[in-house]
Amino acid sequence: MPSQSAGPAPRPEPQRRRRADAQRNYDLLVAAARDVFHDHGVDAPLDDIARRAGVGNATMYRHFPTRRELIIAVYSEEVAELCARSQSLLAEDLPGDALFGWLQDFIAHVAAKRELALSITEDRTGQRSALFDRWHHSMHTAASALLTRAQSADAVRADLNASELLTLANGIALTATDATQADRLVLLIRQGTDTPSTPAHSIRES
């Protein structure tokens, strides 16, 4: 048992505060990088990202020693948001609308973030392949949940699977000339996968 003259035990609050500050800086850097990469491409100066985040370069490099690691963090956030959107759509009243609305989000994601994803180079450990497997699995899981719900409501054909839908959506993302054409192609897919009892649909307004 410590003597009465011993000083007070160290308090954990400063350590927790440092962790919170570190997380805040991490979040600020990822948010800033998303904006800078969107505005100026993935080769934008990292100094610009640090300035936009309001942190010093040393802080940025402590969190992200390389551009590659920052790009991975940004793209991970993009995928997480896309998949979170699918979870919220599971509560929509119209399962068919939820499914094809998310497919439009997926197409917009692929079209806008393809350069970001392709800039993640492979390394000796195979990290890139592992990351892409995980991201693809997350998106496939998101699509499957929405599709299963739509099929249970007799909103789409029962013989359709998530891989087929994502392949079609990916093709639209890579070939459509603009958002209007992409929406038109999604509508054609929807009409081609409707059940006989499904009402006619229109293109979702952006």
Side-chain angles (χ1 to χ4, degrees):
M1 184 174 181
S3 68
Q4 293 295 324
S5 61
R11 299 181 62 187
E13 286 80 8
Q15 184 179 1
R16 285 204 297 267
R17 185 160 56 248
R18 284 196 299 273
R19 287 200 299 266
D21 289 347
Q23 184 62 53
R24 176 178 174 274
N25 288 336
Y26 178 94
D27 293 340
L28 286 171
L29 284 162
V30 172
R34 289 176 69 172
D35 291 341
V36 172
F37 290 156
H38 178 269
D39 294 342
H40 305 292
V42 295
D43 294 324
L46 296 181
D47 290 354
D48 291 351
I49 294 171
R51 276 195 296 271
R52 183 170 296 201
V55 304
N57 285 3
T59 297
M60 179 179 66
Y61 287 114
R62 187 161 56 248
H63 286 288
F64 303 106
T66 67
R67 179 185 298 271
R68 181 178 182 276
E69 290 177 69
L70 182 55
I71 293 172
I72 288 171
V74 170
Y75 191 71
S76 292
E77 288 281 323
E78 299 284 1
V79 173
E81 286 191 6
L82 178 65
C83 294
R85 170 70 174 152
S86 75
Q87 289 297 309
S88 67
L89 285 170
L90 287 172
E92 289 282 321
D93 290 336
L94 299 174
D97 288 351
L99 170 63
F100 285 94
W102 186 82
L103 281 179
Q104 287 176 297
D105 293 338
F106 172 83
I107 289 166
H109 165 88
V110 173
K113 308 304 174 184
R114 184 168 183 264
E115 180 187 4
L116 189 67
L118 292 178
S119 69
I120 302 172
T121 56
E122 187 59 277
D123 61 1
R124 296 177 183 176
T125 66
Q127 183 195 34
R128 182 183 187 275
S129 298
L131 286 169
F132 272 80
D133 285 347
R134 188 178 74 200
W135 291 328
H136 289 161
H137 176 74
S138 296
M139 289 185 278
H140 189 278
T141 299
S144 293
L146 290 165
L147 174 59
T148 298
R149 183 168 176 262
Q151 288 172 326
S152 296
D154 200 28
V156 293
R157 288 166 38 174
D159 62 344
L160 193 63
N161 65 56
S163 294
E164 292 169 336
L165 271 183
L166 290 177
T167 298
L168 291 168
N170 190 67
I172 292 172
L174 298 181
T175 58
T177 56
D178 53 36
T180 299
Q181 186 186 42
D183 287 345
R184 169 69 176 169
L185 293 171
V186 171
L187 176 60
L188 292 174
I189 292 174
R190 183 167 189 178
Q191 291 172 338
T193 57
D194 279 345
T195 60
S197 60
T198 306
H201 306 290
S202 60
I203 298 174
R204 183 186 72 176
E205 294 184 4
S206 301

